[in-house]
Amino acid sequence: MDKFVIYGGKPLKGEIEISGSKNAALPIMVATLLSPGKYIINNVPRLRDVRTMAHLLRIIGAKIEFENHTLVIDTTQADFPEAPYELVKTMRASIYVLGPLLARFKQARVSLPGGCAWGPRPVDLHIKGMQSLGARLDLDGGYIVARGTKLTGTHIYFDVSSVGATGNVMMAAVLADGTTTLENAATEPEIIDLGNFLISMGARIEGLGSKIIQIEGVPGLHPSDYTVIPDRIETGTFLVGGLISAGNINLKKCQPRHVMKILEKMKEAGATISVSENEIHLSSEKGIQPVNVTTDVYPGFPTDMQAQWIALMSIARGSSVVTDNIFQDRFTHVPELNRLGAQIVQKNNSVFITGVKKLNGAPVMSTDLRASASLVLAALAAQGKSDVLRVYHIDRGYETIEIKLQKLGADIVREDSGEVTS
Ligand code: EPU
């Protein structure tokens, strides 16, 4: 297994390009199952999760080539509507195949994902959504076995706003008979991107980006080429990297309007920010001010930036509170940050941070993507050497993060840790 060896204390300086969005690319890849044919998807990040999704699509029968950042997916021969446990357990986003498989093949066999590294993450809203469209779903040996001779448009109210359930049900509803209305739908940019891709395939969808999405089913779709939006969480992570290291960075090929809340909080925390159409410039002359954040659905502060924000606040000039309202138990980074000298106490879904003057390098490890990213950020600011172990978690969601950080002047290298996977 690989680790990162980081010598902290160097300000990040220079410019890098932001990659395509992981959480938009994954459902867009899956949506190609809805209509047989060849698709060209551009700006796809080269990530472990993308490779896992490609593997799953190949099992279903798609042919896939991935060169540079372009995926060529041919779903003409796709004929095996199944997502096996071995894959779903490594990537929950695999559940996205349920909707498209049901819509195209009228049947699906998809493993239940089970828990994840930071607690239970149910899929009940996905299941209820498919049932509302008229599918029959049974549980058999840990698998959702779905049949839906005919999906019929209906009105669905989501008790909780869910990115995954909105995307999944939207993909099933585009080929249903009649109109489907999704109420309390997710408004995240990744769902808008998925919706726009479906529209480019011939789907009829209105209200993307609002809490009410209307989908008028069509009898068939057609393949289409598409370019994925930039990754707003990678953008936010590098912005925190700029401020936590007292740096001066320029992020290119990003989408500033998708990170407005993060930018607002970065400014409150002392960053000087300027934006142009696809670029964000950050400099930091004022030190880090303590700023509370509470995560919320878009356009609120994203849960996927909670861990990175806690790393930043750990060396702020004062105390702050970070509350996660989306996932209640996503704090595996907290004890590890404390090992670097941070002073953070967790109580329920909030953490109370007393900013310290400096962090000190140490070996640290996490079992989750964003938590691992927060450890890298903290290590960049810490004095001395840190080993961040198990970086395969980071590789799930950040494209060659160490190369981008090296480009910005960080002292970070990837090495074999000698640890073997159990
Ligand atoms: N929820 C339910 N039932 C469901 C589905 C969700 O109760 O059937 C609850 C969850 O427990 C949570 C809330 O709804 O409290 C929101 O979860 P959501 O369904 O929106 O999350 P997700 O679709 O599983 C996506 C991202 C996550 C990101 C969340 C929230 C992908 C592939 N994953 O997950 O990204 O944290 O939305 O924005 O899009 C990451 O990239 O590190 C990551 C975890």
Side-chain angles (χ1 to χ4, degrees), residues 22-23 121-125 160 162-164 304 326 330 370:
K22 165 177 85 80
N23 290 345
R121 284 173 69 189
V123 289
D124 56 310
L125 298 171
V160 180
S162 160
V163 173
D304 290 343
I326 304 297
R330 194 181 190 182
R370 308 300 172 189

Side-chain angles (χ1 to χ4, degrees), residues 8-252:
K10 284 188 149 188
L12 297 187
K13 285 191 175 142
E15 64 179 25
I16 52 156
E17 288 184 357
I18 294 301
S19 299
S21 160
K22 165 177 85 80
N23 290 345
L26 294 174
I28 285 172
M29 290 172 72
V30 171
T32 64
L33 291 170
L34 282 165
S35 178
K38 192 168 164 183
Y39 299 75
I40 298 174
I41 314 292
N42 298 304
N43 202 31
V44 179
R46 299 194 68 88
L47 302 172
R48 203 157 68 95
D49 275 9
V50 167
R51 288 194 296 276
T52 306
M53 188 60 90
H55 186 177
L56 175 54
L57 295 183
R58 284 192 185 104
I59 290 174
I60 292 169
K63 290 200 171 66
I64 301 184
E65 287 163 33
F66 194 11
E67 265 197 36
N68 299 320
H69 293 97
T70 298
L71 267 177
V72 181
I73 306 179
D74 188 341
T75 56
T76 311
Q77 312 289 334
D79 62 355
F80 182 65
E82 182 159 330
Y85 175 63
E86 291 66 35
L87 276 183
V88 182
K89 79 173 191 311
T90 65
M91 189 183 67
R92 296 178 51 84
S94 315
I95 189 81
Y96 267 133
V97 298
L98 182 61
L101 290 180
L102 250 177
R104 175 161 160 201
F105 299 103
K106 313 287 178 229
Q107 55 171 318
R109 193 166 175 272
V110 178
S111 172
L112 275 171
C116 80
W118 27 277
R121 284 173 69 189
V123 289
D124 56 310
L125 298 171
H126 300 240
I127 291 174
K128 278 189 207 147
M130 302 307 160
Q131 286 170 330
S132 305
L133 290 171
R136 216 188 99 196
L137 268 64
D138 298 298
L139 192 62
D140 180 22
Y143 279 73
I144 304 166
V145 180
R147 288 175 204 88
T149 38
K150 189 172 88 161
L151 297 181
T152 309
T154 185
H155 190 111
I156 297 172
Y157 178 84
F158 292 115
D159 290 336
V160 180
S161 172
S162 160
V163 173
T166 302
N168 218 341
V169 176
M170 190 160 77
M171 287 192 276
V174 286
L175 288 177
D177 272 359
T179 303
T180 301
T181 304
L182 305 182
E183 220 181 310
N184 197 22
T187 60
E188 270 68 7
E190 295 77 17
I191 290 298
I192 300 179
D193 211 33
L194 169 64
N196 284 334
F197 176 57
L198 293 168
I199 290 170
S200 77
M201 292 172 65
R204 300 185 66 173
I205 304 174
E206 277 179 18
L208 288 170
S210 79
K211 292 239 160 239
I212 298 181
I213 298 179
Q214 276 214 332
I215 305 145
E216 201 184 314
V218 292
L221 298 167
H222 52 79
S224 152
D225 299 343
Y226 198 73
T227 300
V228 174
I229 54 168
D231 197 305
R232 65 191 167 104
I233 305 302
E234 189 196 23
T235 307
T237 303
F238 276 99
L239 288 173
V240 170
L243 185 55
I244 204 170
S245 69
N248 187 328
I249 59 170
N250 198 41
L251 305 182
K252 295 171 78 172

Side-chain angles (χ1 to χ4, degrees), residues 240 244 269 288-295 301 305-324 330-331 333-335 337-338 340-347 349-359 374 378:
V240 170
I244 204 170
I288 303 168
Q289 305 307 316
V291 176
N292 299 342
V293 303
T294 299
T295 68
F301 192 89
M305 282 297 299
Q306 174 259 98
Q308 301 88 316
W309 196 259
I310 293 175
L312 179 67
M313 288 300 108
S314 72
I315 54 165
R317 294 176 180 163
S319 304
S320 56
V321 184
V322 175
T323 301
D324 199 329
R330 194 181 190 182
F331 292 110
H333 40 289
V334 166
L337 290 170
N338 285 344
L340 294 168
Q343 284 187 18
I344 310 169
V345 177
Q346 184 196 341
K347 205 165 171 227
N349 62 331
S350 292
V351 298
F352 300 83
I353 309 157
T354 308
V356 294
K357 283 215 162 59
K358 66 178 175 69
L359 299 172
S374 87

Side-chain angles (χ1 to χ4, degrees), residues 279-290:
E279 291 190 26
I280 303 175
H281 180 265
L282 174 145
S283 61
S284 50
E285 298 89 25
K286 301 180 224 155
I288 303 168
Q289 305 307 316

